Amino acid sequence: MPGELEILLRTLSAVVVLFLMTKLLGKRQISQLSLFEYITGITIGNLAAYISLDLDAHWYYGIISIAVWVGMSLLVDFLQLKSKAARDFIDTKTTVLVRGGKILEHNLRKERITSDELMQQLRKNNAFSVADVEFASIEPSGEINVLLTKENQPLTAKDLGLSVQNEHVPQIVIMDGEILDKPLKEMGLDRNWLKKKMDEYGVKQDEIYLAQVDSKQEMYVDLYADHINVNKKKTSPPGELLALLKRCEADLKLYADKTKDKEMKQLHERFSTDLENVLSEMNPMAK
């Protein structure tokens, strides 16, 4: 067999084998890698190159070697699932870098992270001051997670004492002009409901590139004709509007407390009082 043809066949075989083995290893192998998974990925890549180009060796030796590495990786994954001690030894533990606004220098040295690298990662997590950080840690994958102090975290509906309806993942019910029955059924809907919605929008099925339905059974429609927008503007329900106004009120009070300008302080306090009066009148709407 000519050398060029043999290389072609070996390379195609290596691609197929790598694809099947990666499918077997699962999605973790293509996401954030642990130390062992990193070593496994490099080694399997080298073995695939060996299968493709080393014409003096038997190609199936490389397949056997890849199978052994994949088997070892699956065994390690099994041990990690069954034993925390194995997880801690193979993947290492999470290391705390900042606690209560204080940098733990000995942990930085242990992980070989410079202060510049730490500050860069904090800025990526919207923490531009170490004093604003309650907790920061580096995960076994190398990712740094940051928890801001309570006063620096965004306000939520829970902080405001409001109960809001749970959101569900929107479902695509039309794609490329074709109706998808399974998502419709999962949302308790059918084609009759979908047809009524299309009539409301004044569009036909073959005009729709994509249609998506949210948990409130509101439908977003994207047409093949990009210059036409048939989507209706949504109005915020009273509960969401109330939450937004309460957040504005809280921000005004915060600005009034922090500013040293007496005129601005009085202005913010007046706006805050006016907004508080509006909120008191809106309370029945949120019930």
Side-chain angles (χ1 to χ4, degrees), residues 150-162:
K150 191 67 177 177
E151 59 268 22
N152 287 292
Q153 294 177 20
L155 284 172
T156 64
K158 183 178 179 181
D159 296 329
L160 298 171
L162 296 173

Side-chain angles (χ1 to χ4, degrees), residues 175-199:
M175 182 180 288
D176 298 329
E178 297 293 331
I179 296 176
L180 306 180
D181 290 306
K182 186 177 179 181
L184 271 175
K185 187 176 180 181
E186 288 178 356
M187 301 191 75
L189 305 173
D190 55 24
R191 291 195 174 210
N192 291 329
W193 178 90
L194 185 58
K195 186 178 184 307
K196 290 178 182 177
K197 275 291 182 180
M198 288 189 289
D199 290 341

Side-chain angles (χ1 to χ4, degrees), residues 248-263:
C248 292
E249 181 198 10
D251 286 342
L252 287 170
K253 287 182 178 179
L254 181 63
Y255 296 151
D257 290 339
K258 286 188 173 182
T259 185
K260 295 180 180 179
D261 189 318
K262 291 184 178 180
E263 185 177 349

Side-chain angles (χ1 to χ4, degrees), residues 14-205:
V15 170
V16 172
V17 170
L18 280 178
F19 176 77
L20 294 176
M21 294 300 183
T22 305
K23 289 276 287 184
L24 182 63
L25 288 173
K27 294 179 180 177
R28 280 190 61 185
Q29 193 66 27
I30 56 175
S31 61
Q32 294 285 347
L33 300 181
S34 66
L35 179 61
F36 185 81
E37 289 163 345
Y38 177 74
I39 296 170
T40 299
I42 292 176
T43 305
I44 290 179
N46 288 333
L47 289 172
Y50 161 81
I51 294 172
S52 300
L53 299 175
D54 196 345
L55 301 183
D56 295 331
H58 297 292
W59 65 270
Y60 53 83
Y61 288 169
I63 300 294
I64 294 173
S65 183
I66 288 178
V68 171
W69 268 99
V70 170
M72 284 294 298
S73 184
L74 292 174
L75 177 61
V76 168
D77 287 344
F78 177 78
L79 291 175
Q80 288 178 302
L81 288 173
K82 294 295 183 181
S83 169
K84 186 179 186 308
R87 288 197 298 273
D88 291 342
F89 177 74
I90 296 169
D91 281 346
T92 70
K93 297 180 180 180
T94 298
T95 303
V96 179
L97 303 178
V98 180
R99 181 185 284 117
K102 178 71 174 70
I103 298 175
L104 306 181
E105 293 84 0
H106 61 286
N107 284 349
L108 283 183
R109 290 193 293 269
K110 176 183 173 182
E111 298 294 339
R112 296 182 179 87
I113 298 175
T114 66
S115 55
D116 287 335
E117 291 170 336
L118 174 64
M119 293 306 301
Q120 179 184 359
Q121 293 299 319
L122 293 182
R123 289 193 293 271
K124 283 184 178 180
N125 287 274
N126 296 320
F128 289 82
S129 172
V130 179
D132 295 339
V133 178
E134 182 68 34
F135 191 84
S137 62
I138 182 168
E139 305 296 339
S141 63
E143 182 181 3
I144 294 180
N145 290 319
V146 177
L147 175 67
L148 298 175
T149 54
K150 191 67 177 177
E151 59 268 22
N152 287 292
Q153 294 177 20
L155 284 172
T156 64
K158 183 178 179 181
D159 296 329
L160 298 171
L162 296 173
S163 58
V164 294
Q165 185 180 5
N166 291 332
E167 286 286 340
H168 300 286
V169 178
Q171 297 286 343
I172 295 176
V173 295
I174 297 179
M175 182 180 288
D176 298 329
E178 297 293 331
I179 296 176
L180 306 180
D181 290 306
K182 186 177 179 181
L184 271 175
K185 187 176 180 181
E186 288 178 356
M187 301 191 75
L189 305 173
D190 55 24
R191 291 195 174 210
N192 291 329
W193 178 90
L194 185 58
K195 186 178 184 307
K196 290 178 182 177
K197 275 291 182 180
M198 288 189 289
D199 290 341
E200 288 180 15
Y201 282 81
V203 295
K204 298 178 181 179
Q205 178 184 334

